[in-house]
Amino acid sequence: DLIAHDMHPDYLSTRFATELGLPVIPVQHHHAHIASVLAEYKLDEKVIGVSFDGTGLGDDGNIWGSEFLVCDLAGYNRQAHLEYMPMPVGDMATREPWRMALSYLYRTYGRELMDLYMPFLRNLNLIRVEQVILAIETDLTCPLSSGARRLFDAAAALLDLCTFSSFHAEAPMRLENIVHPVTDQAYPFGEGKEISLAPAFRAMVDEVLGGVDVGLISTKFHNTVAGIILDGVKKISRESGIRTVALSGGTFQNRYLSSRVESGLQDARFSVLFPRQLPSNDGVIALGQLVIVAKKREKGDY
């Protein structure tokens, strides 16, 4: 009777849905993530939804992936996100994490980044590095992304753990693998609706060049992301009065990050909805789309 599909017009599933000759309703990717958690817990109420992952088309035409939402099944309001970063040559950046590291370094240092002599740059073709810098400067084939996975890609490349990925999510996995939770220290970050990681990258660069153990840097990086999530939720809660938080997205497959976020929220007396029967990755998207469109049909909003 009715077809739910992702907002992205170029997805094979979207094209298939629009060719069936039935009414269709597009659903935003990160709204679907949070709706799947509500479905698992059999809830239909406003929650603070935190969806951190790699990619999902946003309302503004940019790539989302680090979303703080106030939402229920009927709709959502985007409250905050990581700042948009250029993805040099688009999807190529997902396979070559060094491109995202360069994007973050350029945002922080400009062309002076080449004077840093970062270890991960030493093994790269400098002509390709220059081409990426020019692409960023001229905004050529550099879609904007707030994706959390791109942030983890950049950090893994910065630590010279993974500059080229040989399988999906290799860079974040390698970054998590060297965490040794011996510290609660974290890096600074810029607060606001668009959360800046430039202060964190400046601190990480100083520590890499200073020879600090990469496992310690990775731990502090993870603590920083957890701190961003905790601070964001608390701010939204103060403004909205909502005390229930739903977490979803592939980034929460990171066990260290998810456990730190969940325990931090519980210590702050939030009710935390975390996927238990379902995965937190895109395996839940179809369910989220289903319950959102079912709610729209119930309300007659189609």
Side-chain angles (χ1 to χ4, degrees):
D1 296 328
L2 184 62
I3 305 295
H5 65 86
D6 192 89
M7 279 178 54
H8 201 300
D10 295 331
Y11 281 179
L12 180 62
S13 56
T14 300
R15 294 176 180 176
F16 177 72
T18 56
E19 292 171 356
L20 293 175
L22 294 169
V24 295
I25 295 182
V27 178
Q28 204 282 321
H29 184 88
H30 301 96
H31 186 205
H33 262 299
I34 302 305
S36 73
V37 182
L38 293 177
E40 177 175 335
Y41 285 85
K42 297 179 172 59
L43 295 176
D44 183 11
E45 61 185 57
K46 284 199 181 297
V47 298
I48 299 171
V50 182
S51 182
F52 273 39
D53 63 3
T55 299
L57 183 65
D59 299 337
D60 56 4
N62 292 322
I63 300 168
W64 290 7
S66 57
E67 309 314 311
F68 292 84
L69 310 174
V70 168
C71 63
D72 53 19
L73 296 182
Y76 63 92
N77 193 313
R78 191 189 196 201
Q79 301 291 309
H81 56 89
L82 299 182
E83 70 175 326
Y84 287 123
M85 295 298 299
M87 282 179 59
V89 197
D91 285 344
M92 184 74 75
T94 68
R95 299 186 293 275
E96 299 183 1
W98 67 269
R99 293 172 180 266
M100 287 310 303
L102 208 61
S103 187
Y104 272 94
L105 290 182
Y106 185 84
R107 175 68 57 89
T108 307
Y109 295 96
R111 277 191 169 266
E112 294 179 5
L113 71 90
M114 297 303 294
D115 299 329
L116 298 173
Y117 301 106
M118 294 298 294
F120 84 95
L121 288 175
R122 295 171 190 168
N123 295 322
L124 296 174
N125 183 314
L126 291 183
I127 294 177
R128 295 183 70 191
V129 171
E130 175 63 23
Q131 289 171 340
V132 167
I133 292 174
L134 282 173
I136 295 171
E137 288 178 337
T138 58
D139 196 26
L140 180 67
T141 62
C142 288
L144 296 177
S145 169
S146 64
R149 187 184 150 197
R150 303 289 80 79
L151 169 64
F152 278 75
D153 285 348
L158 187 78
L159 300 187
D160 207 19
L161 295 172
C162 181
T163 50
F164 294 87
S165 292
S166 56
F167 57 86
H168 179 73
E170 178 181 1
M173 291 169 68
R174 292 194 180 278
L175 193 65
E176 180 189 5
N177 191 52
I178 62 168
V179 166
H180 46 72
V182 295
T183 181
D184 288 326
Q185 289 182 311
Y187 298 115
F189 56 89
E191 299 180 355
K193 183 177 176 62
E194 290 200 24
I195 303 159
S196 172
L197 270 295
F201 271 85
R202 189 175 290 275
M204 285 192 289
V205 164
D206 289 343
E207 291 188 345
V208 169
L209 295 177
V212 175
D213 176 69
V214 292
L216 179 60
I217 297 174
S218 177
T219 306
K220 292 169 70 174
F221 169 79
H222 280 80
N223 293 347
T224 302
V225 178
I228 287 171
I229 293 172
L230 293 174
D231 284 2
V233 167
K234 290 174 182 177
K235 181 176 185 294
I236 295 169
S237 180
R238 287 194 298 269
E239 296 172 351
S240 66
I242 299 171
R243 300 293 300 174
T244 301
V245 184
L247 307 173
S248 188
T251 300
F252 288 111
Q253 290 182 295
N254 182 312
R255 185 172 295 180
Y256 177 79
L257 178 68
S258 60
S259 62
R260 191 172 181 90
V261 169
E262 188 172 11
S263 61
L265 290 171
Q266 289 172 342
D267 289 346
R269 301 185 181 279
F270 284 95
S271 174
V272 183
L273 309 179
F274 190 81
R276 303 295 180 193
Q277 301 177 55
L278 304 168
S280 61
N281 65 14
D282 283 2
V284 299
I285 292 298
L287 173 62
Q289 292 171 342
L290 177 72
V291 294
I292 288 170
V293 172
K295 184 67 176 182
K296 290 182 180 294
R297 182 170 64 176
E298 176 186 306
K299 294 177 63 181
D301 292 343
Y302 76 92

